[in-house]
Each structure stands twice: as C-alpha cells, then as structure tokens.
Amino acid sequence: MAEVSMCSSSGSTELTPEEERIMIRDIALAAEANTKEGDVFYLITQRWWQHWIEYVNQDQPVGGANDGSSFAEIYDSFGSSMLKRPAIIDNSDLIYDAGSEDSGMGIEIHDTLLEGRDYVLLPQEVWNQLYLWYGGGPTLARKVISAGLSQTELAVEVYPLRLQLLEVPKGDRSTMRISKKETIGELHRRACEIFDLNLEQVCIWDYYGHRKHALMNDMDKTLDDANLQMDQDILVEIINHGNNNASDGCASYVQDNGTADKEATSISLEPSKSNLNVAGGMSNKGMSKTEAVQSQNLTSSIRELDNASGHTGVSTRGSSCGLTGLLNLGNTCFMNSAIQCLVHTPEFARYFREDYHQEINWQNPLGMVGELAMAFGDLLRKLWAPGRTSVAPRPFKAKLARFAPQFSGYNQHDSQELLAFLLDGLHEDLNRVKHKPYIKSRDADGRPDEEVADEYWANHIARNDSIIVDVCQGQYKSTLVCPVCNKVSVTFDPFMYLSLPLQSTTTCTMTVTVFSSDGSKLPSTLTVTVPKQGRCRDLIQALNGTCSLKQNEKLLLAEVRDHLIHRFLEDPLISLSTIKDDSHIVAYKIPKLTKNTKYIQLIHRSQEQVTSDAHKMSGWRAFGTPLVSVVSPDGPVKKVYLERIVKKVLSPMAKIGTSMDTDVTDSTMSHAGEDSTETCTSSMNSNDPKSKVLEPLELPLQLLNEDNVCIDLSSGEEAVQLPSSSSVTVYLDWSQKLLKKFDTCHLENLPEVFKSGPVLKKARTEPLSLYSCLESFLREEPLVPEDMWFCPECKERRQASKKLDLWRLPEVLVIHLKRFSYSRSMKHKLETFVNFPIHDFELTNYVANKNSSQRQLYELYALTNHYGGMGSGHYTAHIKLIEENRWYNFDDSHISLINEEEVKSAAAYVLFYRRVKTEDVSVSNGVQTCASTQK
C-alpha cells in the first residue's frame, strides 16, 4: 500500500468542531471565488470527508438537502449526534492496492471513481489546512484546466491522459500519465526520458487504433488539440543515425498501414526482454509488481466490459428488446443517459436498425467521415438486440472522444452538450446532400411571413437533408427591431432543440376588486398569490378559486386608471409584470357569451365647478370605477333595454326605498316597433311589492355612438344602433339627488396592486410550469450589449429588441431546461421543480404560423435526469417503451420499472416529446418489435 503520512494533528487540538467548520468554510469561499486555470485541487475519500462533515456539524440543526450549487454551501448541510473526531486522512480506497513508486506514473487511482460517491475535490488551501490538522494521505493532486465546447469552463483533470508508449525497433513498451493540456514537446521529452533516448534520435507518431495517424512534430501544439485519447498508443521511433528527415526515418520502420515491420521487430519481442506478449497485451514478465497488478486489473476490466455475454455483477433486464443497460466506464452516465433517449426515439430505432449505410456521407468535410454514424448505429443495434446483458459502449466512446476531445477521459460532462454534438454530428454524417449549393437569402421586403418562411426552409433543406432534420428540426421566426429607426428584420432559422430558461419562481400578491354584472352581489376585494413572472391566466386561475364563479360565468380583467378602463386584459398570455404597482385591477363577472358579444362600459361622471379668471363654468368629470356588462345585439337595440342593463349592475348599491326595474329579457331587446311595455311593467311590479307607490327611477344616460356623439337614452322607446366596436361606452351623469339613492362608496377608493409581498428571510419557491418557461423563452427582450445588431438602415450597431416565435415544430421536440448558471469560475445548479406535462402538451397557440391547421399536440416519451451538484452529479434516464406503455428507469446498467407518477421530479433536465398523431395512435408499432438478427 502507498505510504500514509503520520503528520501530527496537534495543530487543531485547541479548536472546537464549530471553529473547524467556520475556518474551512471561509477558506473554501475565498478559494472558490478565485479559482483559475492551473490551480491545484486534491482528491479526498468521500468516506473520510463525510465523517468530518458530520463531526463539525454535530451541534448544528439538521439542514435541508444540499443542491450542490456551491462548494462552500455543503459545510452547513448536515446534522448529527455526538461524533468522535476523525482519524488521519486515509485515501487508500481511492488507489490501486499496490505501491506505484516504480511505475513511472505516480500514484494511480481506480478508473471508475465517481465524484460525490467515492471522492470529493478540495481546493489546495482547504486540503493544506485539513492536512495540517489531521495528516495522512496519500496526496492526490490534480490541476484545473479549461474545458467545454468553448474551452471557457474550468474543470479538474482527475484523470490525465494515460498513453501507451511503443518504442520501435526495440519493441519496448511503457505507460505514462500526462495532462492533455501539455504540449507535444513535453510528450516528446518525457518519452525520451522513459526510454533513455536523445531528443534528436526520436520522432513520435499518433498511433491511434494501431495505425499511423499523424507525425507529431508541432512541438507547441497541446495534446488536447492533437486529439490524443485515453489509453491510446503512441509510437516512439528511433530514427536512423545520419538521417535528419524524421518522417523519412520513421517511415523506414512503420509501413503505411501502420503495422510494425516484422523483420525489424521480431527479435526485440522475445518474452524474456519485452513487455509485449503475442496477443499485444501486457505481460507480467519484466514488470514491476505495481505494473503487473495494474496490468491484470486493466486487462480483466477490459475483458469484462467488452465481453457482451459475460457476467457483469449487476442486475439488468436484458431479455426484452430495448431493455439493455450501458455499463458506466467511469463518469460516463452523462453519455449513457443521452444515448438511451436517442436509441428509444422510435424514428431513430427504425432507421438505424435498417440499412442506413447507403445514406452515409463519406465526403462531408463538416462530418466525421461516417464513423460517428456507424458507431452509433452499431451501438443502437446492440441495445435493441434480444437477450443481451449490459453493453460496454467503449468503441462508441472512443469514436466520440476522437472527434469531440472535450468528452474524452473520465471526467463528468454535460449531457445536453453531448446531445447537441451527437445530433449535429449524426446529421452531418448522414446528410443526403453531397454538394451543398450556395444560396443567398433574400430580404422579406414586406412579403407574407408564410412565403418567406417556406423560402428559408427550402433553402435550408437544399443544404441539409438527413434523418435528424426529418425528425428533430423545427423553425423559429426571429424578429429584430431597431430602437432608433424602428427597422424590422425578420428571419426564419432552423433549430434542433429548445433551451428554456428557469425564471425565478418566487410568488407575489395582487389585490383585485371583483364586480358582478348580474346585480347579485356588492363588489369585493380579494388578495391572491401568483407567480412573480406569471401571466394573466395565472391571476384568473387564482381568482376563480376564491370568488365563487357560476358555471355560466367567466372573469374579465381590466386595468383602471383615472376612473377609466385603460385596457382589457383579455389575452391570457399578458405578463403580470406589465401592470404597474399603483394601478387598479378590476375583475368583472360576466356571462360566457360567445356570439356578437359587446362590452358595455358604464362611466360615472359628477358635476364640478371650474373657476377661471373670467367666470365660473360647470363641467363633468369621471369618478369612481367603471362598471361592465355585456349585450349581444342583433340590429338596433331599444333604449329601455340599455337602461335596464345599467340598473341591474347598479342594483346592489341601491338604498332602501329606491325603485329598481332590473328585469332584462330578450323581449325588451326587441327591434323598433315592437311593444314591451307590458313586460316592463310586470317585471317592475314582481321585483318590488312597494313599486306601485314608489316613483320610477330615471337615469340620465348617454350613449357614445360611432361618431363620438352622445345620444340621450332616457327619452322614449325608440331603438339605437350600437357602435361596431367590441366595447360600447355609456355615461351616467350623477346628480346630487341621484347620489342620495345609492351607496357610491363601493365605486371609489379602489386598492392599488401590491405585487411585492413582505420581505422574508428566504423567498418561497413554487413549482414552475413548462408553459411559463416557454413563454419566458419567447418573450421579447433587448439583446445583450455584446450581441448588438448591425442595423441596415442606420448603418450602426444597435441594441435591438429580439422576439422569437415558433413557426414550424418537428416530429420530436427536444426541450433542454437550463438548470446550470455560471458564477465566476464555477457552475451553479437550479433545483427548481418544473411541472411538465406527460400527456397533452398543447403547443398550438404558441405557433406563430396561424395558417397551419395541424394541431400541435405532444406526448413525453423520454427524459434525462441530473441529480446532485455540478461536479458530483449523476445522470439517469426515464424511458417509456411505447409498445408496452410502461416507464423504466435507466441508471447505467441498472434498469427498473417505475410508475408514471415517478417520472416528474426536480431532477428533470432534457425532455423528449413526440407529436401525437390522431390517425395512428401507435406510430412506433414495428419499431419496438424484437429483431433477432441485428446485433
């Protein structure tokens, strides 16, 4: 076993657990804020770390679950009973059970360790402090490197490249570890050091797959840029003395097909002097004890992983088609989960199980010369073959790492980034267009959107035509508006998936006054809780549950300013953030009328004296809150009918002794020439027994007609023609005598909207709807300053506003929930629960192309989950086998049946929806059928 240091722990004997916790927390916070490339992190066993966490938190209250968003936050995450102080740090369970001082590679850790399960990464400052207090070891240092698609993210290189060096002509072999950020020059120097050679004597080849791939002579190029992969071969060739041309010298020993010349190497490969056996693997002869043990471990591991029919030691359902697991090769759960979702997409399962090779585009410079498509197809066939145990995706991972080196090694990666690369790479490998034509897009020039969108799509298909486009690609409408000249630019761009933001889900309160249009109740004020980033439909839904709506009623929202209706909030997608805090929101209970409905706005006016320098004048000004009712006219409407509608909405506020004729019937809305006197008299008498002795109430009403001229409604039975607009304005001029007959206080002093609730220590989070995420994504927003748009009219770069709309939806809609945000050098994860529909995901109203008659209805069939924090997380997949109509959990090689209720969780990361086809309920029939010949 590697030596374990017995450093004294007296440095912390005077510290309490609480003092240790606070000191380490403060050190961690400072280290996290300043992490940069080249810094050193240290592996520490999860077992010891967990013990220490519980020890220093034993006096703390039990906290909630850690979301993993920040390294330092874990210090306050655990509670425990009294615990003893941990012993010295013992990392021996992370390394091979053998000394590695003679291996030339330093201390080797196990290949299948998972961060968060087996080990934790500590910044150097934290490790130094813990080591000072506790001692122990061995010390396992790893550097921070740039990673990701853009090489702007930071990651700890837990597993540096392990390269197999083959020296020719001698045939000696050695293994070395080296960072992928080191240069070819450093690789060259260390190879010469290992084999005791002079730099001038040696040239090195990229010998991937036992074939000469490239002569590595650019000494400043990094191994990452050179696409070197884990465990690949490097040919170290001694060139002829006196021959200064390295490539010529190397070529004398290695044939063009990459096979070593038998005559030159046969003598040097005798068992007693070589580390190679006849099978090409490592031999125990001539090795140190450490090398022998590592060789045996590695060889047995490879044999077990590559033997599809061998016992794997894990349980999996391999007897049914589509229920085959993928072995975890070391932090490859990110890849396994994405692959399972793709191979269970019915269209892809059908395509790759048939003869797809004829569609491979071998010459596409943007593709992977067909190798990625073939590797994926082979893997898919293995996963769909009957009677198999778990599959080791080692060949696929090797191809993936070859063309996307950011996914090489054994570090954890982002499943969505891998998915994006896979979809794009498979598309280019399978692009049916062999020679892409150059097409210049024309400006819209005022043409209809439908025409421009079809033109853009045709141009796109002329250059991009594959099974990926057929299944996964849709089309945006992108609108840019210049803030200076108002120039509008519209383009229609393809998309492969939607990346939806997770908006803040803190709630707020809104106060609304509810009025009844049928005269049944006095107005009431309600305060409801709604999502802070919600829409009008959220407010209506909250009000529906508190204001006792009848079955035939609905709510009409309106924003009231200066005693007038500023706007009706009829669109359910209007954002609540557009309503000002000092506005007044009114909800009117109105009947659910659908035919020729017009709103009658009753505006209240009172007389006031206006004094000028010359004389006094009388004028009418608005006061109180407008009232709303509805009418469904068919031609001219009698004045008496409109008067009775007004009396009906005012009736709850009438004082005792006020005669109210409020019976509104169809006969009272009859056209000119029809008599309704009898009905009116009858209704008046039936409503109030005292009406015979009371003076009938007369209201001074005026109708604003089409020409903005007021028509008196209190003179006779004649009919009037209502304006053609959907909203009709009627003025009620309140005299002092009339004011005494009603309690108009109910119309005044409306409360303001309070959108901000009391300040709490911690904001309460609510479930977030997937529809809300989609609406946030489609909301018009200004471009960020670094992405400013060049306006063709202004000839200047402008911070234009951008609006995205969905125009064309694909057969399979992939939705990525943006759970990861960035703070300085670290990623943070949002643990927000998103309530996504499993069935009936209705997108028809979100498609801007209103000429499309097709209903856009989708059903969930797969998703990836991410559990834990960014560095210590784990990926799984939930898959629905459509033929069985049952859901399964795919956790690498472990597959288990789950209920549909278990599909939804806060771990959901990437969602896969398929279009529901009413004419064919089971479109995937035949895809899920076992194929005994395809393996």
Side-chain angles (χ1 to χ4, degrees), residues 121-135:
L121 287 169
L122 302 181
Q124 183 172 10
E125 298 84 351
V126 174
W127 167 264
N128 288 344
Q129 188 61 56
L130 289 174
Y131 187 76
L132 177 65
W133 289 341
Y134 292 93

Side-chain angles (χ1 to χ4, degrees), residues 506-510 527-531 538-539 542 764 766:
T506 53
T507 57
C508 63
T509 59
M510 296 188 73
T527 299
V528 294
T529 301
V530 293
D538 299 311
L539 177 57
R764 183 164 60 99
E766 302 289 346

Side-chain angles (χ1 to χ4, degrees), residues 180-191:
K180 62 182 179 181
K181 293 301 178 180
E182 289 287 3
T183 63
I184 291 176
E186 177 64 13
L187 172 62
H188 195 182
R189 185 192 67 77
R190 290 181 57 181

Side-chain angles (χ1 to χ4, degrees), residues 515-521 550 553 589 628-629 648-649 651-652:
F515 287 84
S516 174
S517 66
D518 63 0
S520 60
K521 292 183 180 179
K550 298 176 183 176
E553 286 182 327
K589 292 182 181 180
V628 171
S629 188
K648 191 169 187 177
V649 297
S651 60

Side-chain angles (χ1 to χ4, degrees), residues 462-636:
R463 294 172 52 84
N464 302 275
D465 183 17
S466 70
I467 181 64
I468 306 299
V469 175
D470 297 342
V471 175
C472 291
Q473 283 202 353
Q475 190 179 29
Y476 290 131
K477 176 186 176 183
S478 177
T479 306
L480 291 170
V481 181
C482 177
V484 178
C485 70
N486 293 322
K487 165 70 177 177
V488 178
S489 173
V490 177
T491 57
F492 293 86
D493 306 310
F495 68 86
M496 195 89 75
Y497 52 87
L498 302 179
S499 286
L500 305 187
L502 304 188
Q503 292 291 341
S504 170
T505 57
T506 53
T507 57
C508 63
T509 59
M510 296 188 73
T511 303
V512 179
T513 305
V514 181
F515 287 84
S516 174
S517 66
D518 63 0
S520 60
K521 292 183 180 179
L522 285 170
S524 59
T525 298
L526 300 175
T527 299
V528 294
T529 301
V530 293
K532 193 172 184 181
Q533 301 294 332
R535 303 283 176 166
C536 280
R537 68 181 180 193
D538 299 311
L539 177 57
I540 290 176
Q541 184 177 358
L543 291 170
N544 284 345
T546 56
C547 68
S548 304
L549 272 183
K550 298 176 183 176
Q551 257 191 343
N552 63 339
E553 286 182 327
K554 69 176 183 178
L555 290 179
L556 173 66
L557 293 180
E559 185 175 357
V560 175
R561 295 184 191 171
D562 299 325
H563 311 291
L564 300 173
I565 292 180
H566 174 67
R567 59 172 173 163
F568 286 112
L569 303 173
E570 293 185 274
D571 186 350
L573 299 182
I574 292 176
S575 173
L576 297 179
S577 62
T578 63
I579 301 173
K580 295 184 178 179
D581 288 352
D582 58 354
S583 291
H584 307 288
I585 300 299
V586 177
Y588 299 102
K589 292 182 181 180
I590 61 174
K592 291 180 179 177
L593 299 177
T594 56
K595 184 179 178 183
N596 300 327
T597 302
K598 291 182 181 293
Y599 300 134
I600 295 181
Q601 299 183 47
L602 180 64
I603 309 298
H604 310 284
R605 298 193 302 189
S606 63
Q607 196 172 32
E608 69 171 2
Q609 297 291 331
V610 180
T611 304
S612 65
D613 294 338
H615 55 276
K616 292 182 179 180
M617 297 183 299
S618 293
W620 294 92
R621 67 173 179 85
F623 80 98
T625 306
L627 298 178
V628 171
S629 188
V630 294
V631 61
S632 299
D634 186 11

Side-chain angles (χ1 to χ4, degrees), residues 449-450 453-454 473-479 492-493 495 498 537 571 573 771 774-775 777-778 803-811 813 815 841-858 915:
D449 282 348
E450 293 77 13
D454 288 345
Q473 283 202 353
Q475 190 179 29
Y476 290 131
K477 176 186 176 183
S478 177
T479 306
F492 293 86
D493 306 310
F495 68 86
L498 302 179
R537 68 181 180 193
D571 186 350
L573 299 182
Y771 289 106
L774 180 60
E775 289 158 12
F777 174 73
L778 299 177
K803 174 76 169 70
L804 286 178
D805 290 293
L806 301 177
W807 188 265
R808 187 189 309 265
L809 292 180
E811 291 299 308
L813 180 62
I815 295 180
F841 184 31
E842 178 67 76
L843 294 175
T844 306
N845 293 335
Y846 292 91
V847 177
N849 183 8
K850 300 307 178 185
N851 285 351
S852 175
S853 59
Q854 186 178 15
R855 188 181 179 194
Q856 306 293 339
L857 191 64
Y858 285 82
R915 192 193 303 277

Side-chain angles (χ1 to χ4, degrees), residues 112-145:
T112 56
L113 299 179
L114 289 175
E115 185 180 358
R117 185 194 70 184
D118 303 308
Y119 68 88
V120 173
L121 287 169
L122 302 181
Q124 183 172 10
E125 298 84 351
V126 174
W127 167 264
N128 288 344
Q129 188 61 56
L130 289 174
Y131 187 76
L132 177 65
W133 289 341
Y134 292 93
T139 300
L140 304 173
R142 296 295 186 268
K143 283 190 176 182
V144 175
I145 63 172

